Amino acid sequence: MASSKQSSQVLAFLLLLISCLVSTATSASTMQCHDEDQAALLAISDAMGNSPYHFASWTPDTFCCDWSDVDCDAATGRVVGLSVSGDGNLTSASIPDAIANLTSLRNLTLRHLPGLTGDIPNSLSRLADLAFLTISYTGVSGPVPSFLSELANLVSLDLSFNSLTGAIPASLADLTSLSTIDLSRNKLDGPIPATLLSKCSGGEVVELYLSKNNFSGGIPAEFAGVNFTRLDLSRNSLTGDASAVLGKGKPLQYLDLSRNDLHFSLTGVELPEEVSFVDLSHNAIRGRVPAQVASLSNLQLFNVSYNRLCGVVPTGGVMARFDAYSYQHNKCLCGTPLPACHRYGLF
């Protein structure tokens, strides 16, 4: 009797297992991407030249959620991610308008595609759910499009290492979810919009990278109230006072303002306690190196070379980490690791 009962239980378990497997298979088949998403992806493949490096798996007889570079939402089966990168064989293609037909897209990455050229198309404004947009290391040119301010859910914008020209649209400052902007290594010019990243919701920490462009004017005074963790404005033509982005209590960890034309006194300026990287080299900064620098335990790089600083270099704490290169070509800085101060009559 017991054996019969056990056999019945085993049979019942097997039937339940088979039922679950069938249900899972059925569910999986219904979770494949929608026809319109598949059609859009095939159109993207055609427009980008059907590169075998990326699109070998993109065939009409398979489900697009199984294709490389494509991510689907597990609950809806809609395409939410597209990432095409590292293809030097792509030649003379523009960003396909068909991308805009992926209406549930949240993450779009087009990276290391030197053959991708032309403007960023206005059609991308239809991607209302887009949170992460990366178009980087390409031949894309034209302006930073103003329609980006219509993408209310945008969290991260990376348009670095392209050939973009013109000014940053002031309307980008209206995006309250945007917390990371990288426009470095382009040909952008004009002033930095005063309220850029200042409306980020809830005082969230933000990152801004604008290095190696042709930006001019001052660093916006409004930046004093922005919670930057990383700020890189290096290799531009910025002028004036940069002390507003410094100060104790700020969350800043990385600061590069090198190779501009900044004029302000470093005397009395306090640096954020958690900062690990500070490059202020190749400017016109005057005053002294603050003694507080020695107490910044996280500081790994400190470079104030090629400025107009004077006085004794602080000692103790972390100062032994920095050699003469960090201070060279200043007006009259002295003391370890530089020559003794008596040569300037300071002692």
Side-chain angles (χ1 to χ4, degrees):
M1 178 70 72
S3 177
S4 176
K5 183 177 181 181
Q6 288 175 344
S7 297
S8 298
Q9 289 174 335
V10 170
L11 180 61
F13 174 76
L14 289 173
L15 290 173
L16 178 61
L17 181 60
I18 292 170
S19 175
C20 288
L21 291 173
V22 170
S23 175
T24 301
T26 302
S27 175
S29 67
T30 60
M31 294 309 298
Q32 304 303 332
C33 64
H34 290 222
D35 290 344
E36 54 265 41
D37 288 348
Q38 186 137 340
L41 289 168
L42 290 172
I44 292 167
S45 174
D46 287 341
M48 298 183 75
N50 287 297
S51 169
Y53 182 79
H54 286 285
F55 305 131
S57 64
W58 291 29
T59 58
D61 57 342
T62 59
F63 291 114
C64 67
C65 289
D66 295 328
W67 295 353
S68 61
D69 304 324
V70 176
D71 292 316
C72 291
D73 184 271
T76 65
R78 299 307 300 262
V79 171
V80 294
L82 174 63
S83 178
V84 181
S85 62
D87 192 348
N89 296 319
L90 181 69
T91 57
S92 300
S94 57
I95 298 174
D97 285 325
I99 291 175
N101 295 330
L102 299 171
T103 54
S104 297
L105 204 63
R106 299 173 199 157
N107 188 338
L108 173 62
T109 297
L110 303 172
R111 185 176 172 85
H112 284 291
L113 302 170
L116 199 64
T117 59
D119 292 0
I120 299 172
N122 291 335
S123 57
L124 298 188
S125 64
R126 303 206 303 268
L127 299 175
D129 293 334
L130 200 64
F132 301 91
L133 175 59
T134 297
I135 302 171
S136 181
Y137 290 89
T138 76
V140 167
S141 57
V144 176
S146 58
F147 75 73
L148 293 173
S149 63
E150 301 171 24
L151 302 178
N153 294 307
L154 201 62
V155 172
S156 173
L157 175 65
D158 182 354
L159 302 180
S160 62
F161 289 83
N162 294 302
S163 296
L164 300 174
T165 55
I168 300 175
S171 58
L172 276 186
D174 296 332
L175 293 173
T176 58
S177 296
L178 189 60
S179 60
T180 299
I181 298 176
D182 190 348
L183 302 177
S184 56
R185 303 280 179 146
N186 279 287
K187 301 174 182 178
L188 300 170
D189 55 25
I192 300 172
T195 56
L196 194 66
L197 292 173
S198 65
K199 300 179 183 179
C200 193
S201 57
E204 186 178 354
V205 293
V206 300
E207 301 180 9
L208 178 62
Y209 307 90
L210 301 179
S211 66
K212 209 165 186 181
N213 281 285
N214 298 307
F215 293 115
S216 57
I219 296 175
E222 289 82 355
F223 278 14
V226 179
N227 291 323
F228 290 108
T229 55
R230 300 178 71 85
L231 178 62
D232 188 348
L233 306 179
S234 61
R235 296 176 181 267
N236 282 288
S237 299
L238 299 172
T239 58
D241 191 348
S243 59
V245 300
L246 300 168
K248 294 183 72 173
K250 293 180 181 290
L252 192 65
Q253 299 173 15
Y254 180 103
L255 177 67
D256 192 346
L257 303 179
S258 63
R259 297 181 185 273
N260 281 287
D261 191 26
L262 298 171
H263 290 67
F264 66 100
S265 175
L266 200 58
T267 304
V269 171
E270 292 184 303
L271 275 68
E273 296 91 334
E274 301 301 316
V275 71
S276 62
F277 183 107
V278 176
D279 192 345
L280 303 176
S281 64
H282 294 268
N283 280 289
I285 301 170
R286 63 188 185 279
R288 295 173 175 262
V289 177
Q292 179 233 6
V293 174
S295 66
L296 300 174
S297 58
N298 292 331
L299 194 60
Q300 299 298 320
L301 184 143
F302 181 69
N303 190 347
V304 291
S305 62
Y306 292 88
N307 277 290
R308 300 175 183 174
L309 298 170
C310 197
V312 183
V313 175
T315 58
V318 301
M319 301 310 292
R321 297 174 184 173
F322 315 120
D323 59 19
Y325 174 81
S326 298
Y327 311 104
Q328 64 184 351
H329 292 280
N330 274 282
K331 181 179 179 181
C332 52
L333 277 183
C334 58
T336 306
L338 299 174
C341 292
H342 61 74
R343 66 184 292 183
Y344 299 108
L346 295 178
F347 280 156

